[in-house]
């Protein structure tokens, strides 16, 4: 991708060790501009020249991960041209299409639980 992206994901992290591991996993990608973790809401914000699909796939290998938002990163240069606005809309449409395609091919995994239930028998001569 040739433009700056901002990705916000909610990751189910249980302790500080998981937080450190998630930050290490995401920081291994090339093109990361900034990386921030909101420990209160378990939200991880990644911005830079990244592929959001690859980042989410990597996180989903170890933790339950939900995409909160994906979009073009805002630049703080104070200039707002109509061309940039149109380009931003075009990028947002591309991102929306990427997210739809991702969700089509990689649906949320279904978790099954197996509960072992032992029956007690009142047999005396077992």
């Amino acid at each position: 991708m040739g433009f700056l992206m901002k990705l916000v994901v909610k990751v189910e992290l249980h302790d500080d060790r998981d937080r450190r591991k998630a930050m290490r996993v995401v920081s291994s990608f090339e093109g990361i501009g900034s990386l921030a973790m909101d420990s209160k809401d378990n939200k991880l914000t990644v911005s830079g020249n990244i592929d959001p699909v690859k980042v989410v796939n990597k996180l989903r290998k170890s933790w339950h991960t939900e995409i909160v938002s994906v979009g073009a990163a805002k630049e703080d240069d104070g200039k707002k041209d109509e061309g940039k606005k149109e380009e931003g809309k075009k990028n947002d449409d591309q991102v929306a299409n990427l997210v739809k395609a991702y969700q089509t091919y990689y649906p949320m995994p279904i978790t099954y639980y197996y509960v072992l239930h032992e029956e007690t028998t009142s047999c005396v001569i077992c």
Side-chain angles (χ1 to χ4, degrees), residues 25-80:
V25 164
V26 174
S27 66
S28 68
F29 285 98
E30 289 186 24
I32 299 290
S34 68
L35 186 61
M37 171 71 80
D38 182 9
S39 298
K40 178 180 164 190
D41 296 330
N42 282 337
K43 288 185 181 178
L44 181 64
T45 304
V46 184
S47 63
N49 189 10
I50 58 168
D51 184 5
V53 175
K54 288 182 181 178
V55 173
V56 172
N57 275 340
K58 191 74 168 180
L59 287 170
R60 282 192 175 163
K61 286 182 180 179
S62 299
W63 303 281
H64 177 75
T65 305
E66 295 178 26
I67 299 172
V68 176
S69 69
V70 178
K74 299 184 192 252
E75 298 179 6
D76 296 331
D77 56 353
K79 298 179 183 177
K80 294 184 180 178

Side-chain angles (χ1 to χ4, degrees), residues 100-112:
K100 286 179 186 176
Y102 175 80
Q103 290 174 344
T104 301
Y105 288 106
Y106 300 104
M108 291 295 294
I110 299 172
T111 305
Y112 294 100

Side-chain angles (χ1 to χ4, degrees), residues 14-33:
H14 302 291
D15 55 10
D16 287 335
R17 181 175 177 227
D18 280 346
R19 285 182 185 85
R20 284 192 304 268
K21 188 174 177 184
M23 295 284 276
R24 189 177 323 120
V25 164
V26 174
S27 66
S28 68
F29 285 98
E30 289 186 24
I32 299 290

Side-chain angles (χ1 to χ4, degrees), residues 59-126:
L59 287 170
R60 282 192 175 163
K61 286 182 180 179
S62 299
W63 303 281
H64 177 75
T65 305
E66 295 178 26
I67 299 172
V68 176
S69 69
V70 178
K74 299 184 192 252
E75 298 179 6
D76 296 331
D77 56 353
K79 298 179 183 177
K80 294 184 180 178
D81 296 334
E82 290 181 18
K84 287 187 179 181
K85 288 182 183 178
E86 291 176 13
E87 184 179 321
K89 289 180 184 178
K90 184 178 174 183
N91 290 342
D92 288 342
D93 291 339
Q94 288 177 343
V95 171
N97 289 337
L98 282 173
V99 170
K100 286 179 186 176
Y102 175 80
Q103 290 174 344
T104 301
Y105 288 106
Y106 300 104
M108 291 295 294
I110 299 172
T111 305
Y112 294 100
Y113 295 99
Y114 178 73
V115 178
L116 182 62
H117 179 65
E118 296 181 16
E119 294 183 21
T120 57
T121 59
S122 59
C123 178
V124 179
I125 310 174
C126 292

